[in-house]
Amino acid sequence: GNDWSLVLGAKEGNGANKIGEPGLIARRSEIGNDGSFKLHVGDAKMVKMTLNMMEGTYLIETINFENSLSYVGTAGGWNNNGGSSRIALVDAAKGLYTGYIYGKQESYGNTFRLFSPSQLGSWDASTGNSDVNTFNGSIAAGGSDNNFEFTDGDGVYYVEYCITDKSISATKISNMNLVGAFNGWNQADDAQQMTWNAEELCFVKVNASVSGEWKFTANNDWGINLGGTIDNLVGNGDNLKAEGSTIKLYPCRNTSDNIYCTVE
C-alpha cells in the first residue's frame, strides 16, 4: 500500500542490529524509528541474511573465503604439505570455485579433499563431503573418511564448488578440442581432438596448424570452453590469436595460478 510505516526493520532500532546474532523484525510503526539494518561487515566478502517470517526473526552473517583451494588426493599421493595442484580462484561475487582436477583411481577409490592455502598440513581444517549438501554430476561422498570421490575413473574433471550454496559438481572431460576459424568453428571436430598426457598434466595436439581466431572446447560442446590469453585462460574468454602447430593446454594449475597453454 506504499505505506512506509508498514516496512519491516530491526526491532532493536536504527542500525542497532548485530552481525552473527539473531534479532527481531517489526513494522516501523512499532519501532518508532527507521529500524534500518546496518551491515558491520569488516573484511567479509559476502553477507547472508535470513528472515524467519513465522517467528519474526532475522540473522545476518558474514561469509569469508580464501582466494583458492587445493586438491589433495589419490592423484597426488595424498600430499597435503603444499605440493598439490590448485583447482580454482574464487569468484568474489558468488563464492564459487571452479577449475580442472586430474583424478586417479586407486584401490580405495578416486578420492580427495579440498584445502585452502592456510589449511595445508592440517587434515582437520580441510573441506570434505560433510561440508556439502548437494552433489551433482560425476562426484559423490567417498567412504567414511569425509572425502570426495570422482565416480568416472581416471581423468580430468571440471569442478564447481559453491561455498555459499554448499554444493559441488563435477563433469568429466572426455575430450578437449581445438576449434576456430580454421575448422569452421566445429566444436565436435574429431580431427582437432587433443590427447591427455598424465605425466605433464596437459592436453596435447601436434600438427594442429591453428590460425586466425580459436578456442578450446570440452566434450564436443560449448558448455565448457576456454579462451582469453595463452598465459591466462578463462571460461568463456575471448578468442585466442596465437599461431602454431603444437598446442599444449595445462588446465590443472599444477605449475601456475592460471590455466594456460603453449603454442609452438
Side-chain angles (χ1 to χ4, degrees):
N2 202 25
D3 184 351
W4 279 97
S5 69
L6 300 179
V7 170
L8 291 170
K11 193 170 185 177
E12 294 89 338
N14 193 36
N17 60 284
K18 293 181 172 60
I19 300 293
E21 296 182 12
L24 299 174
I25 55 177
R27 302 288 187 184
R28 271 184 171 176
S29 56
E30 302 173 38
I31 299 170
N33 58 53
D34 286 348
S36 297
F37 298 100
K38 185 175 181 180
L39 302 181
H40 310 271
V41 298
D43 296 328
K45 296 183 179 180
M46 296 188 69
V47 173
K48 177 181 179 181
M49 185 171 186
T50 304
L51 296 175
N52 187 327
M53 300 304 292
M54 296 296 291
E55 297 182 4
T57 61
Y58 70 88
L59 178 64
I60 303 175
E61 303 166 277
T62 56
I63 303 175
N64 258 313
F65 33 80
E66 303 259 6
N67 287 333
S68 63
L69 291 175
S70 293
Y71 162 92
V72 177
T74 53
W78 284 99
N79 174 14
N80 75 329
N81 294 316
S84 305
S85 58
R86 181 174 295 168
I87 71 163
L89 298 178
V90 71
D91 176 348
K94 299 179 181 178
L96 176 68
Y97 296 86
T98 63
Y100 297 82
I101 296 177
Y102 172 63
K104 185 177 180 181
Q105 185 77 25
E106 297 289 356
S107 59
Y108 43 87
N110 192 343
T111 53
F112 66 98
R113 299 172 76 89
L114 298 173
F115 289 75
S116 65
S118 63
Q119 294 171 339
L120 287 169
S122 173
W123 293 104
D124 292 337
S126 63
T127 298
N129 64 56
S130 63
D131 300 300
V132 173
N133 295 330
T134 306
F135 296 83
N136 296 296
S138 301
I139 194 167
S144 59
D145 295 326
N146 198 30
N147 299 326
F148 297 109
E149 182 170 14
F150 290 129
T151 57
D152 287 336
D154 289 8
V156 179
Y157 292 79
Y158 177 67
V159 177
E160 294 181 297
Y161 167 51
C162 184
I163 194 171
T164 55
D165 291 346
K166 294 187 176 181
S167 65
I168 192 167
S169 67
T171 301
K172 188 172 185 182
I173 306 301
S174 59
N175 64 68
M176 186 68 74
N177 279 20
L178 300 173
V179 55
F182 61 89
N183 71 338
W185 293 100
N186 179 7
Q187 76 277 10
D189 186 354
D190 290 341
Q192 299 301 327
Q193 283 196 16
M194 308 182 78
T195 301
W196 177 247
N197 183 325
E199 292 185 1
E200 293 188 38
L201 294 181
C202 69
F203 289 98
V204 182
K205 176 65 178 174
V206 297
N207 300 320
S209 298
V210 295
S211 60
E213 297 187 351
W214 57 280
K215 301 183 76 169
F216 298 96
T217 57
N219 299 343
N220 296 330
D221 190 79
W222 284 102
I224 300 175
N225 69 84
L226 290 168
T229 61
I230 62 173
D231 59 351
N232 187 16
L233 296 168
V234 296
N236 300 311
D238 294 336
N239 296 336
L240 299 164
K241 297 179 182 179
E243 296 188 2
S245 59
T246 299
I247 316 296
K248 292 185 177 182
L249 168 63
Y250 297 84
C252 297
R253 292 190 171 98
N254 57 304
T255 58
S256 171
D257 286 343
N258 296 334
I259 299 171
Y260 70 97
C261 68
T262 59
V263 181
E264 300 177 355

